Amino acid sequence: MSKFSISRLGKELYTGEKSFDFVGRRMLWYAVSAVVLVAVILGVWLQGINLGIDFTGGTRYTVTVAQADQELADDLRTAVGDTDVEAADGASVRTSGGKSIVIETKSIPDGSEADEAIIGAITETADVAEDDISRTGIGPSWGERVATKAGLALGIFLVGVILFIWVYFKEWKMSVAAVVALLHDVVITVGVYAIVGFEVTPATVTGFLTILGYSLYDTVVVFDKVKENTRNLAQKKQTYAAAANLAVNQTLVRSINTSIIGLLPVVAILYVSAVQLGTSSLKDISLVLFVGMAVGTYSSIFIATPLLVHLKSKEKDVVDAEKRAAARMKEADKYAAVPVFDEGMPVAADEEPDELRESGSDDLHEAGVGRGTSPNTSPTGRGRNVPSQQRSVSDSAAAGRPQPKRESRSKRK
């Protein structure tokens, strides 16, 4: 048995020797995506999104230390949380480089007793002077401006995507399918982020913009192959759905390989930032990249192209291609209803069993049918008729005479 080979599988998928029916099972993929979307939307609704102080407002303390490590960050988180300051409950503590630790809390007035309590806990735990602590107050209005600008950037990006795909492929339905797949990726990524409970920071927004570009890139590659396979569809013997499904299979190995290569470093960053570093800005961007890249690969294969075929299924040239394919199939299957002899096949009502044929051989002979021949009353079912009988069959007069036989040359006279 030959060993499994990715390169061999890729070749078979590209030539069509082996194929997975992505387009034909599109209702299954729609159902899977619908279930996932409902789950993540419920997660966002029930749990909410954990927005950082850059969006909600708060107070940030930056502590300069001799050596910033995760152990000191954990100690500071405990010390700040043990104070009687209500705004410090659930404070975010993370390392920032090798010399700084950042502590973020809800909004605390400058110079208040709560502010002095937080600073005292920091100086005592980190063994630093108050001059080594810088305090920054972030108002909610700044976060609102950031959110507004992020939404504006997303809207401009989506409009640019629609126009680019429309102009490049000269097909507005491809733009619709690509944007739907893109929104599918964003909603699922936001939902997973909310369910996990990671804090949304400016690094998270950067990650979102990155996955939008990645998801779009993968979809455009598949659509480019669809356009190539469906060019001059009227002159081809394929339907639009079959040509589009072939395009997905032809780019399948490339999509999987690209995703794996892209996900491996992201997984490494996510593990280091979440497990070894605890709280870090790398964790925010790595999670959104991991989820977005994985979902983007899924949507380009299972959502974008099947949805495109669905949108184009009513177009005249697509319908005509379906009719031509159905006609060719019917013509190729012209004799599919002709029965093939089988040893266990039951005898038809108008046919005699072998015993009757043997016992009635004399009657058949008298009727003009020689042994080994069949009546010429019906077609054979193979596209031709048995020729009609010209005269009755009778015994030959030469049957009683001795017939010549061949002898060896040595015995000839």
Side-chain angles (χ1 to χ4, degrees), residues 73-398:
D74 293 339
D75 293 340
L76 286 172
R77 182 184 296 105
T78 303
V80 171
D82 289 342
T83 61
D84 295 332
V85 179
E86 184 178 354
D89 292 339
S92 172
V93 183
R94 68 175 186 271
T95 59
S96 178
K99 300 293 183 180
S100 300
I101 294 179
V102 178
I103 303 170
E104 296 175 342
T105 67
K106 295 179 182 178
S107 183
I108 298 176
D110 187 12
S112 63
E113 293 183 0
D115 185 46
E116 292 179 355
I118 296 294
I119 293 176
I122 294 173
T123 57
E124 182 179 353
T125 304
D127 193 18
V128 295
E130 290 189 12
D131 294 339
D132 295 326
I133 303 173
S134 63
R135 181 188 184 282
T136 305
I138 301 174
S141 59
W142 187 86
E144 291 177 0
R145 288 198 301 270
V146 171
T148 302
K149 290 182 179 180
L152 180 61
L154 178 61
I156 295 174
F157 177 82
L158 293 178
V159 172
V161 166
I162 294 174
L163 294 177
F164 167 75
I165 296 180
W166 194 349
V167 172
Y168 180 75
F169 292 108
K170 300 179 181 179
E171 177 61 71
W172 66 268
K173 293 181 180 179
M174 284 189 174
S175 299
V176 173
V179 171
V180 169
L182 207 60
L183 296 176
H184 167 275
D185 301 342
V186 171
V187 172
I188 291 180
T189 305
V190 171
V192 172
Y193 218 86
I195 293 172
V196 174
F198 278 21
E199 188 179 51
V200 177
T201 64
T204 307
V205 177
T206 303
F208 272 114
L209 296 177
T210 303
I211 66 169
L212 293 179
Y214 183 89
S215 176
L216 179 64
Y217 162 76
D218 210 27
T219 301
V220 168
V221 169
V222 179
F223 280 0
D224 191 60
K225 199 63 182 176
V226 172
K227 180 182 178 181
E228 178 183 339
N229 289 354
T230 56
R231 187 181 290 113
N232 299 325
L233 188 63
Q235 302 176 5
K236 295 185 178 181
K237 297 182 179 181
Q238 272 186 320
T239 63
Y240 189 91
N245 191 74
L246 176 62
V248 179
N249 281 274
Q250 289 174 330
T251 57
L252 180 62
V253 174
R254 186 212 63 83
S255 298
I256 294 176
N257 289 342
T258 304
S259 301
I260 292 176
I261 293 173
L263 285 173
L264 285 177
V266 174
V267 171
I269 296 173
L270 180 61
Y271 172 78
V272 171
S273 59
V275 177
Q276 296 185 351
L277 299 181
T279 304
S280 172
S281 58
L282 290 176
K283 181 180 68 175
D284 304 331
I285 191 172
S286 59
L287 177 64
V288 70
L289 285 176
F290 175 79
V291 178
M293 291 172 67
V295 178
T297 303
Y298 168 83
S299 66
S300 65
I301 297 173
F302 296 94
I303 300 298
T305 306
L307 180 60
L308 172 64
V309 175
H310 200 163
L311 293 174
K312 291 181 68 66
S313 60
K314 302 300 182 181
E315 292 185 3
K316 185 179 182 303
D317 55 343
V318 176
V319 174
D320 291 343
E322 295 281 351
K323 291 180 179 179
R324 288 193 298 269
R328 286 192 298 269
M329 183 66 67
K330 184 177 180 181
E331 182 179 356
D333 205 28
K334 185 176 181 180
Y335 299 112
V338 177
V340 180
F341 175 76
D342 186 12
E343 189 174 353
M345 180 183 293
V347 179
D350 57 346
E351 292 185 3
E352 293 181 336
D354 293 340
E355 293 83 0
L356 294 179
R357 286 184 178 275
E358 293 179 0
S359 61
S361 59
D362 294 339
D363 296 336
L364 291 173
H365 181 73
E366 291 178 0
V369 180
R371 186 171 305 204
T373 63
S374 58
N376 50 2
T377 59
S378 62
T380 61
R382 299 186 179 275
R384 52 186 293 186
N385 294 331
V386 177
S388 58
Q389 184 175 322
Q390 301 295 329
R391 60 183 180 83
S392 60
V393 180
S394 59
D395 291 337
S396 173

Side-chain angles (χ1 to χ4, degrees), residues 2-22 242 245-253:
S2 59
K3 295 182 179 180
F4 176 77
S5 173
I6 293 293
S7 59
R8 180 179 179 183
L9 175 62
K11 180 181 178 181
E12 292 176 348
L13 291 174
Y14 194 89
T15 57
E17 299 176 37
K18 187 173 293 185
S19 177
F20 299 103
D21 191 8
F22 296 107
N245 191 74
L246 176 62
V248 179
N249 281 274
Q250 289 174 330
T251 57
L252 180 62
V253 174

